[in-house]
Amino acid sequence: NAGVMQNPRHLVRRRGQEARLRCSPMKGHSHVYWYRQLPEEGLKFMVYLQKENIIDESGMPKERFSAEFPKEGPSILRIQQVVRGDSAAYFCASSPPFPGEQYFGPGTRLTVT
Amino acid sequence: GENVEQHPSTLSVQEGDSAVIKCTYSDSASNYFPWYKQELGKRPQLIIDIRSNVGEKKDQRIAVTLNKTAKHFSLHITETQPEDSAVYFCAAREGAQKLVFGQGTRLTINP
């Protein structure tokens, strides 16, 4: 039973480029969450999605960041025009339909040069 | 919204001793409190959780206690081993699903 999958594991972007991070939830899980972790810090909630719906995006910066979870395929976190401050580890988690445990993927480490 | 405070930020114990990490939360409506262990460069791993209708839960060397009145919960690790060294995060669930995390505790087990 595969766990939560994320790719790429490492991503290097120059300032001004776009970053696309992908997350495939565990089998049977229909809820996806994105969290950001800065070096030596805790995890900060960004967005919570179900298939084709954004349920809570209260942690997402108002500009440059967007997320989707289409009917088919992985969830995508998109960061446009990246800046150095976007450098962080981005973790995706998934949970089953009934409010339950969240299981994390291995993360994508984004470095903006 | 929910706010979670975690203490201490670093903890060093001798192998075989016990370790205790404490968290407080602000939203009395929060009803689910997981603990995650994160090793360097790895994903956070769920190690134990507790729901608001339970006061204590134990799994081998790990236990969690919850005091709803005081709005605090604690992680207890007994008979610590070197492989317990990691950063531990507490969290509280706000609303339907969103987790709010504490700042983390770096636990070091000294042989």
Side-chain angles (χ1 to χ4, degrees):
Chain A
N1 182 16
V4 180
M5 311 277 280
Q6 285 187 253
N7 66 81
R9 297 290 306 276
H10 300 274
L11 182 62
V12 179
R13 285 286 178 265
R14 291 201 194 95
R15 278 180 297 169
Q17 291 185 318
E18 178 180 290
R20 276 187 182 235
L21 288 60
R22 286 177 289 278
C23 169
S24 296
M26 284 177 71
K27 189 175 179 182
H29 287 191
S30 55
H31 297 203
V32 165
Y33 318 80
W34 287 92
Y35 294 86
R36 177 163 64 177
Q37 186 175 38
L38 294 169
E40 303 295 318
E41 292 192 14
L43 294 128
K44 303 291 186 193
F45 169 81
M46 299 181 75
V47 63
Y48 160 38
L49 311 103
Q50 296 176 22
K51 286 281 186 183
E52 300 184 281
N53 275 306
I54 297 175
I55 307 301
D56 181 351
E57 56 181 348
S58 58
M60 286 272 274
K62 294 277 186 284
E63 297 180 355
R64 303 187 298 107
F65 285 72
S66 62
E68 62 176 2
F69 189 14
K71 190 176 178 182
E72 302 290 339
S75 174
I76 306 280
L77 178 68
R78 184 178 171 206
I79 311 172
Q80 295 179 293
Q81 300 174 336
V82 296
V83 302
R84 288 229 172 94
D86 297 332
S87 294
Y90 291 83
F91 287 96
C92 162
S94 73
S95 76
F98 183 82
E101 300 87 353
Q102 293 184 22
Y103 294 94
F104 282 80
T108 294
R109 279 151 186 84
L110 172 66
T111 302
V112 179
T113 62
Chain B
E2 177 65 275
N3 182 48
V4 177
E5 297 285 335
Q6 183 172 347
H7 299 280
S9 57
T10 60
L11 180 60
S12 185
V13 301
Q14 286 298 119
E15 183 178 352
D17 287 350
S18 295
V20 180
I21 302 170
K22 299 182 179 182
C23 290
T24 60
Y25 62 99
S26 60
D27 188 351
S28 55
S30 290
N31 59 11
Y32 173 68
F33 307 91
W35 286 88
Y36 288 85
K37 175 184 179 183
Q38 187 177 31
E39 297 176 32
L40 188 63
K42 301 284 184 64
R43 74 184 77 193
Q45 286 193 299
L46 179 66
I47 56 171
I48 196 167
D49 56 14
I50 191 166
R51 298 179 192 277
S52 58
N53 58 347
V54 175
E56 184 174 357
K57 183 176 177 182
K58 195 171 179 181
D59 183 3
Q60 298 183 336
R61 297 185 297 107
I62 294 172
V64 57
T65 58
L66 171 65
N67 182 327
K68 282 172 56 180
T69 304
K71 288 189 277 189
H72 66 70
F73 56 113
S74 300
L75 177 72
H76 304 252
I77 306 174
T78 58
E79 300 171 21
T80 53
Q81 301 168 2
E83 53 265 37
D84 294 329
S85 294
V87 179
Y88 290 80
F89 292 98
C90 63
R93 183 163 64 200
E94 176 182 312
Q97 287 282 30
K98 171 181 169 183
L99 289 180
V100 177
F101 284 85
Q103 300 90 330
T105 296
R106 183 176 300 279
L107 175 62
T108 303
I109 308 301
N110 301 309

